[in-house]
Amino acid sequence: MTSPSVTSTKPQAAAPAVSSPTATALSLSTPGHDVGLLLLRLVLGLTMASHGSQKLFGWFDGGGISGTGQFFTASGYPAGDAMAVIAGLTETLGGLGLAVGLLTPLAGAAVVGTMINAIAVHGTGAFFAPKGIEYELLLTVGAAALALTGPGRYAADRFLPVLRAHRLAYGALALLLAVVLAGGLLLVRN
């Protein structure tokens, strides 16, 4: 019989470490993963921002607001100039947001919504360029992927507490919003 004053010398099991969602999300990314996301964000984001600046300012041989507005009117959208401003701002701000990694789910969704309309206007008669939708589809899927995966470690979202640990739900909700708004815009098109 053992005395109650004798204590067991059995080693105690260590308590499992509790990790935060931020620590878990950051531990899953590798430097290669983060650099790959940065490269995708920069190329896709700056491409979209350039397209937006064509619409807003006429840069890079763009039509500016009046030329783009005429295109929107000819494509069946009401208030062509207003649509040119909306599309230009959406592409420019969404593209810059992706490039910097700021509000990535919303920036990706902005690009997706714009590109849904671009695909609808361009038509789906062919896949390959110059008359196909391959370019628009690639931009759409790339932006959707960034909205769902998050921007990676090298992004401004790391400084926003709510987006520091990217959640799939944020990206999915942002994309749902993009599809609904793009669909609504297509409904007002003649």
Side-chain angles (χ1 to χ4, degrees):
M1 184 170 247
T2 58
S3 156
S5 64
V6 176
T7 60
S8 171
T9 58
K10 222 185 209 182
Q12 300 260 336
V18 176
S19 65
S20 70
T22 302
T24 303
L26 292 178
S27 68
L28 293 176
S29 66
T30 64
H33 173 89
D34 295 322
V35 170
L37 287 172
L38 174 64
L39 180 63
L40 178 60
R41 283 191 356 253
L42 285 172
V43 171
L44 198 148
L46 293 176
T47 298
M48 289 307 300
S50 298
H51 278 286
S53 67
Q54 286 180 306
K55 291 172 179 62
L56 291 174
F57 311 115
W59 295 352
F60 311 113
D61 296 324
I65 292 174
S66 67
T68 305
Q70 291 171 5
F71 170 79
F72 274 107
T73 301
S75 297
Y77 288 95
D81 286 353
M83 292 304 303
V85 170
I86 291 169
L89 285 173
T90 303
E91 289 178 4
T92 302
L93 297 177
L96 292 175
L98 282 179
V100 195
L102 180 64
L103 302 173
T104 304
L106 290 175
V111 171
V112 167
T114 302
M115 296 315 297
I116 288 172
N117 274 269
I119 290 170
V121 168
H122 195 96
T124 56
F127 180 74
F128 295 104
K131 296 183 180 187
I133 61 165
E134 64 180 327
Y135 175 67
E136 292 87 353
L137 185 62
L138 184 62
L139 291 173
T140 305
V141 173
L146 287 169
L148 293 172
T149 62
R153 207 177 278 227
Y154 309 120
D157 281 352
R158 290 211 47 221
F159 300 104
L160 301 175
V162 72
L163 292 175
R164 189 171 295 138
H166 182 78
R167 292 184 176 52
L168 177 62
Y170 296 160
L173 287 173
L175 291 175
L176 178 63
L177 177 65
V179 169
V180 168
L181 291 175
L185 194 54
L186 287 171
L187 289 175
V188 301
R189 184 175 164 234
N190 295 331

